[in-house]
C-alpha cells in the first residue's frame, strides 16, 4: 500500500471486457457489478493484483488480466475495513456492489493500466468498424504494420478511428513474439507517436513490469493470425451507470427537434448568433445528430469562428465518415485559409461520395439544414471534371443501361474520387455484360483492396490471371495484397512471378523487398532494394528502406551510406530532419533509433490505378517548355513513372525506363510528338548543379503540379497560362503552382 498526500493507492486486476468499460468511462470509473457479484475487491498490494491477473484472469474468460492502479481519497476509503485473505500481502477492501457508484466518485484522477498478462487463447478486443473490423489482435497489428509501410495515412486514420482496440490490445502487442522484433518496435513507436496526437488525454498502457516470457505466436513463420473468436463484453443491466439506456425519453426527443428546427429557421434568416445557441443545445441533447453538428459548423463559419466550425465538421465525420457535406464544408475552410492540399483531398472525397455537390452552388438553398456552397470546387478542374463526367455518364446510362463501356468509364472516375464502393458496383455491372475482361477484374480487385476486402481482391486477381496470365501488374498487386494480409510467403511468390514477367519494373522488387524485410530476411530485402536503385537511381524510398534493412542487419556503415544518399535525393524536409537526427545520434555514439514516424512518401503501388478516361486536349509538357523559354533547353532533365500517348511516346519511354538523362532540346523535340502526358515526374538541372530548378508532376491528365526555386519562373508561368493556382506546402526555397489542362494560352 502506498499513499499520495491524503489519497490511498489501490490496485485491481480486471478482465478485457471490464477494461473496455473502464476505457468507455474515460478511465474514470469501474463498471457496475453483475447480480452474481455482490462485492467489489480493490487490493492494497501490487504483487497481489499481479498474482490475480496472471493466475486467474489470464487463465480464464478472455485470457487476459490487466493490473490497474488508482487513487481514492483517504477519508472515504477509511470507512471500509481491510480484510486479509491468506498471506500477509493479500489485503483487500470489500466494497458492496451498491456502493460502487459512490466509490467511483471518490477516485482521484484516472485509472491507470500498469501491466498485463495473457493466456495462449487471447484473441483481443475485436472492433466492428473500419479496417480492423473482425480481426483478432495479431491480425490487427499485421494490418497496422502494412498500413504503415504501404499507406501511411490509413495507418494514422486507423489509430484514430479504432482507438479503443489500439488501447486494449497495445499491451499484448508489446509482449507478443512477432517474427521481426526490429520492425515490431518501429511500429510500436509509430503507434505511440500517433496516439499522442490523436488521444493525448488517455495515455497508452506502459507496463512497469515486463514478463520475460513473450506470448508465442501460433505460427512462428509469419505474422498471419490464428482464427479469432468473438469477444463479447459482460452483459450489462439497465442500472449500469456508464451505459446510456436504450430507450430515450420522448420529451427529450421533442425538445431536441424543437431546438434543431428553431436553429435552422434562425440560421436561414441570417441570425447566426441565435442559431448557434439553438444548434448547440441540439448537439448537447443528441450528440449523434450529424446534420446538427454540420449546421452548427456552418453557423460558426458565418460568424467568423472557423476553428470552432472545423471542430463541428470533424465531430460530424467521427459519427459518419461518409457524410459528404461535412467533408465539403470542412474543405471550404481549409481552402480559404491556404491549406490547398488538404482542401483538395476533402473536396475529392466529398465529390466521390456525392458528385451532385459540384453543382450545388447553382441550386436553391436547402431548407432542412444550413449549407456552405461556394463555387471554388467547381473551379478546380481536376476535381470538377470527374464529377461532371459521372453526372453525364449517369444520364447516358439512363438511356443505355446495357452499354458496358459507360460503366467502365464511370467506375474509373469514381475510383479517382476515392468512392471505391461505387467503383466496385460499376465494375461489377460492366463484368455482368463483359465477364472475361481481365483488366477490369484487375481494376475491381484494386478497388476491393482500397476498402480492405482482401479476399475479394484476391479472387479478382486470380480470375484475371486465368484469363490473361501475362499481366505482370496483377501478380504484383496480388503480392501486395498477400503482404497486407500477413501472408508473406505467398506475397513473395506472386511478386517473384510479376518480376519474371516485368524484370524492369522497380515496383515488383520494392514490394518484395518490404515482404522480405517484414519476414526478417534482411539480406534478400537489401538485394531487392538494390535492384530498385539499379533501375531507378533517384528512388528515395529505396535508399531509405535499404538503409533500414542494413540497420536491422547490423551494418551501420552501409546504413549510413544509404541514409546519406537518401538525403542527397530527397526534398522532403521532415524526412530529412528524421534521418539527420538519426545520423547525428550515431555520430555521438548513440545507437538508439530515432522516432519511427517516418514521413518518407509511402504510396508505392504505382500500378494500382485504373487508367484515366481520355482527357480533353489542353496544354501539355511541350507547352510548358515553350512557356519557360531558353532555360529548359539548356538544362538536363530526368523523368520517371511516365505514362503518355502520342507518336513519340516510345521514344520518351526509352529514356525514362532506364532513368537516362535527357538534354533539354531533345526533350522539346520528343514532347512535340506527345499528345497527352497522363502521369510522370520531370526534373530539370542547370549545368553543374546538384539540385533541380524545377520539378513537374503530371496529375492524372488533369494538369501539372510544379515546384520551382525561381520566383521569376513562377511569374512567367502565371502570365502564360490563364488557369493557374498557387499551392502551399512546398519545402523552401521551392514554391508550388498548379496548371490545369482546361484552358488556353494567353
Amino acid at each position: 500500500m502506498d499513499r499520495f498526500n491524503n489519497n490511498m493507492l489501490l490496485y485491481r486486476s480486471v478482465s478485457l471486457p471490464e477494461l473496455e468499460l473502464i476505457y468507455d468511462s474515460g478511465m474514470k470509473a469501474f463498471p457496475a457489478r453483475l447480480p452474481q457479484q455482490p462485492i467489489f475487491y480493490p487490493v492494497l498490494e501490487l504483487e497481489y493484483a499481479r498474482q490475480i491477473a496472471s493466475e486467474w484472469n489470464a487463465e480464464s474468460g478472455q485470457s487476459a488480466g490487466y493490473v490497474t492502479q488508482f487513487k481514492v481519497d483517504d477519508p472515504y476509503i477509511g470507512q471500509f475495513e481491510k480484510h486479509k485473505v491468506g498471506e500477509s500481502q493479500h489485503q483487500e477492501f470489500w466494497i458492496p456492489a451498491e456502493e460502487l457508484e459512490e466509490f467511483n466518485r471518490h477516485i482521484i484522477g484516472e485509472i491507470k493500466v500498469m501491466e498485463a498478462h495473457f493466456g495462449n487463447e487471447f484473441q483481443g478486443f475485436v472492433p466492428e468498424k473500419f479496417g480492423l473490423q473482425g480481426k483478432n489482435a495479431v491480425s490487427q497489428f499485421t494490418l497496422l504494420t502494412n498500413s504503415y509501410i504501404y499507406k501511411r495515412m490509413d495507418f494514422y486514420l486507423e489509430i484514430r478511428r479504432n482507438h479503443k482496440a489500439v488501447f486494449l490490445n497495445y499491451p499484448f502487442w508489446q509482449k507478443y513474439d512477432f517474427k521481426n522484433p526490429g520492425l515490431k518496435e518501429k511500429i510500436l513507436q509509430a503507434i505511440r507517436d500517433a496516439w499522442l496526437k490523436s488521444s493525448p488525454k488517455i495515455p497508452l498502457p506502459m507496463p512497469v513490469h515486463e514478463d520475460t516470457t513473450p506470448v508465442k505466436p501460433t505460427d512462428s513463420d509469419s505474422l498471419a493470425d490464428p482464427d479469432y473468436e468473438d469477444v463479447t463484453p459482460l452483459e450489462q443491466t439497465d442500472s449500469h451507470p456508464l451505459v446510456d439506456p436504450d430507450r430515450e425519453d420522448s420529451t427529450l426527443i421533442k425538445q431536441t427537434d424543437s431546438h434543431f428546427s428553431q436553429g435552422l429557421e434562425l440560421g436561414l434568416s441570417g441570425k447566426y448568433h441565435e442559431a448557434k445557441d439553438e444548434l448547440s443545445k441540439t448537439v448537447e441533447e443528441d450528440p449523434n445528430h450529424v446534420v446538427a453538428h454540420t449546421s452548427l459548423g456552418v453557423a460558426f463559419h458565418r460568424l467568423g469562428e472557423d476553428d470552432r466550425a472545423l471542430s463541428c465538421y470533424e465531430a460530424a465525420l467521427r459519427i459518419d465518415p461518409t457524410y459528404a457535406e461535412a467533408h465539403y464544408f470542412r474543405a471550404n475552410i481549409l481552402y480559404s485559409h491556404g491549406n490547398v492540399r488538404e482542401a483538395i483531398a476533402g473536396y475529392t472525397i466529398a465529390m466521390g461520395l456525392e458528385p451532385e455537390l459540384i453543382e450545388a452552388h447553382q441550386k436553391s438553398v436547402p431548407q432542412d439544414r444550413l449549407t456552405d456552397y461556394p463555387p471554388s470546387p467547381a473551379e478546380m478542374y481536376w476535381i470538377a471534371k470527374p464529377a461532371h463526367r459521372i453526372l453525364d455518364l449517369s444520364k447516358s446510362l439512363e438511356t443505355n443501361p446495357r452499354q458496358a463501356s459507360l460503366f467502365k468509364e464511370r467506375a474509373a472516375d469514381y475510383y479517382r474520387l476515392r468512392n471505391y464502393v461505387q467503383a466496385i458496383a460499376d465494375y461489377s455491372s460492366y463484368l455482368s455484360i463483359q465477364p472475361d475482361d481481365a483488366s477490369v477484374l484487375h481494376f475491381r480487385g484494386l478497388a476491393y483492396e482500397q476498402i480492405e476486402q482482401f479476399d475479394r481482391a484476391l479472387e479478382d486477381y486470380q480470375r484475371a490471371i486465368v484469363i490473361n496470365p501475362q499481366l505482370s501488374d496483377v501478380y504484383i498487386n496480388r503480392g501486395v495484397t498477400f503482404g497486407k494480409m500477413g501472408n508473406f510467403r505467398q506475397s513473395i511468390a506472386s511478386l517473384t512471378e510479376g518480376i519474371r514477367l516485368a524484370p524492369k519494373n522497380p515496383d515488383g522488387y520494392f514490394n518484395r523487398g518490404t515482404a522480405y524485410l517484414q519476414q526478417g530476411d534482411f539480406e534478400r530485402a537489401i538485394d531487392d532494394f538494390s535492384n530498385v536503385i539499379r533501375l531507378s537511381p533517384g528512388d528515395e524510398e529505396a535508399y531509405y528502406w535499404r538503409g533500414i534493412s542494413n540497420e536491422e542487419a547490423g551494418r551501420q556503415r552501409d546504413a549510413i551510406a544509404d541514409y546519406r544518399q537518401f538525403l542527397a535525393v530527397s526534398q522532403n524536409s521532415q524526412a530529412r530532419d528524421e534521418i539527420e537526427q538519426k545520423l547525428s545520434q550515431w555520430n555521438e555514439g548513440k545507437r538508439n533509433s530515432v522516432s519511427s514516424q517516418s514521413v518518407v512518401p509511402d504510396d508505392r503501388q504505382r500500378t494500382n490505378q485504373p487508367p484515366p478516361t481520355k482527357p480533353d486536349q489542353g496544354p501539355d509538357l511541350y507547352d510548358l517548355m515553350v512557356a519557360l523559354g531558353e532555360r529548359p533547353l539548356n538544362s538536363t532533365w530526368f523523368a520517371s513513372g511516365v505514362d503518355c500517348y502520342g507518336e513519340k511516346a516510345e521514344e520518351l519511354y526509352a529514356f525514362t525506363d532506364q532513368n537516362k538523362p535527357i538534354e533539354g532540346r531533345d526533350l522539346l523535340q520528343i514532347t512535340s510528338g506527345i499528345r497527352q502526358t497522363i502521369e510522370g515526374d520531370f526534373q530539370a538541372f542547370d549545368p553543374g548543379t546538384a539540385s533541380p530548378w524545377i520539378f513537374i508532376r503530371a496529375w492524372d491528365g488533369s494538369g501539372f503540379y510544379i515546384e520551382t526555386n525561381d520566383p521569376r519562373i513562377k511569374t512567367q508561368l502565371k502570365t502564360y497560362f490563364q488557369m493557374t493556382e498557387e499551392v502551399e506546402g512546398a519545402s523552401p526555397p521551392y514554391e508550388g503552382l498548379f496548371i490545369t489542362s482546361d484552358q488556353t494560352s494567353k
Side-chain angles (χ1 to χ4, degrees), residues 51-70:
Q51 183 180 353
I52 297 171
S54 60
E55 297 180 7
W56 172 253
N57 294 112
E59 300 301 325
S60 60
Q62 304 290 339
S63 298
Y66 299 85
V67 177
T68 64
Q69 179 193 76
F70 55 98

Side-chain angles (χ1 to χ4, degrees), residues 427-445:
Y427 282 134
S428 298
S429 296
Y430 174 90
L431 289 167
S432 69
I433 304 169
Q434 300 285 347
D436 295 328
D437 191 323
S439 64
V440 171
L441 284 166
H442 179 203
F443 299 149
R444 190 175 69 174

Side-chain angles (χ1 to χ4, degrees), residues 37-267:
Q37 300 171 329
I39 303 295
F40 175 75
Y41 302 97
V43 305
L44 282 75
E45 299 292 341
L46 172 61
E47 187 56 42
Y48 185 19
R50 179 179 295 153
Q51 183 180 353
I52 297 171
S54 60
E55 297 180 7
W56 172 253
N57 294 112
E59 300 301 325
S60 60
Q62 304 290 339
S63 298
Y66 299 85
V67 177
T68 64
Q69 179 193 76
F70 55 98
K71 292 179 283 185
V72 180
D73 65 69
D74 252 355
Y76 173 76
I77 197 66
Q79 65 181 296
F80 297 98
E81 182 182 354
K82 299 175 188 175
H83 294 266
K84 179 181 175 183
V85 184
E87 300 179 12
S88 59
Q89 74 269 25
H90 293 175
Q91 296 185 69
E92 57 192 28
F93 287 106
W94 292 1
I95 312 297
E98 61 271 17
E99 181 69 22
L100 183 54
E101 187 172 352
E102 182 64 23
F103 179 90
N104 284 329
R105 294 194 185 101
H106 290 272
I107 293 176
I108 309 299
E110 287 78 33
I111 300 168
K112 298 179 181 179
V113 178
M114 302 301 293
E115 57 188 68
H117 302 264
F118 303 99
N120 292 331
E121 302 302 317
F122 179 77
Q123 299 296 314
F125 175 78
V126 180
E128 298 178 351
K129 293 182 179 180
F130 307 114
L132 302 184
Q133 177 183 359
K135 294 178 172 59
N136 70 8
V138 176
S139 291
Q140 291 173 37
F141 192 80
T142 299
L143 183 142
L144 290 172
T145 299
N146 287 308
S147 296
Y148 181 78
I149 292 175
Y150 292 111
K151 292 277 188 180
R152 196 68 50 82
M153 184 56 67
D154 289 354
F155 172 83
Y156 294 121
L157 286 175
E158 200 65 46
I159 298 295
R160 179 175 297 179
R161 290 170 171 173
N162 266 318
H163 52 89
K164 184 191 291 188
V166 172
F167 180 88
L168 296 175
N169 294 330
Y170 181 80
F172 174 78
W173 296 336
Q174 288 185 306
K175 303 182 75 168
Y176 190 78
D177 189 17
F178 287 106
K179 177 75 175 178
N180 186 341
L183 184 60
K184 166 190 167 181
E185 290 306 316
K186 188 177 184 69
I187 301 305
L188 288 175
Q189 180 62 51
I191 291 172
R192 289 192 290 270
D193 293 339
W195 185 270
L196 285 173
K197 294 180 179 179
S198 61
S199 304
K201 293 183 179 179
I202 300 179
L204 279 174
M206 301 294 285
V208 296
H209 172 75
E210 288 291 340
D211 188 345
T212 56
T213 304
V215 180
K216 292 290 184 182
T218 302
D219 179 3
S220 61
D221 290 332
S222 87
L223 287 178
D225 50 288
D227 294 336
Y228 59 83
E229 301 173 1
D230 289 336
V231 179
T232 306
L234 291 174
E235 183 178 350
Q236 299 301 311
T237 64
D238 288 342
S239 62
H240 196 297
L242 302 179
V243 180
D244 293 330
D246 293 333
R247 301 176 62 186
E248 296 182 21
D249 184 82
S250 60
T251 303
L252 179 60
I253 295 174
K254 292 178 181 177
Q255 188 176 9
T256 300
D257 289 343
S258 174
H259 287 308
F260 182 61
S261 299
Q262 291 179 45
L264 291 185
E265 184 177 348
L266 291 164

Side-chain angles (χ1 to χ4, degrees), residues 385-449:
K385 282 176 65 177
H388 282 301
R389 276 199 298 263
I390 288 171
L391 297 179
D392 292 340
L393 289 165
S394 297
K395 293 176 183 177
S396 299
L397 281 166
E398 290 177 2
T399 56
N400 299 286
R402 295 290 296 172
Q403 190 168 340
S405 61
L406 297 178
F407 286 111
K408 182 179 179 180
E409 291 178 34
R410 192 172 69 173
D413 284 316
Y414 271 122
Y415 191 103
R416 184 177 299 162
L417 292 177
R418 305 180 192 175
N419 188 340
Y420 305 115
V421 173
Q422 188 58 51
I424 289 167
D426 278 353
Y427 282 134
S428 298
S429 296
Y430 174 90
L431 289 167
S432 69
I433 304 169
Q434 300 285 347
D436 295 328
D437 191 323
S439 64
V440 171
L441 284 166
H442 179 203
F443 299 149
R444 190 175 69 174
L446 295 174
Y448 275 128
E449 185 177 330

Side-chain angles (χ1 to χ4, degrees), residues 289-291 293-294 311-321 323 326:
H289 199 313
V290 174
V291 179
H293 279 290
T294 307
S311 296
C312 291
Y313 298 144
E314 288 163 2
L317 292 172
R318 282 194 294 271
I319 301 166
D320 182 3
Y323 190 55

Side-chain angles (χ1 to χ4, degrees), residues 485-517:
M485 298 173 72
N487 299 331
F488 299 118
R489 289 179 177 176
Q490 291 174 283
S491 172
I492 290 168
S494 188
L495 289 164
T496 299
E497 181 61 17
I499 291 169
R500 185 188 70 80
L501 292 169
K504 293 184 179 180
N505 185 346
D507 290 329
Y509 294 104
F510 185 93
N511 289 306
R512 191 174 68 176
T514 61
Y516 280 133
L517 175 61

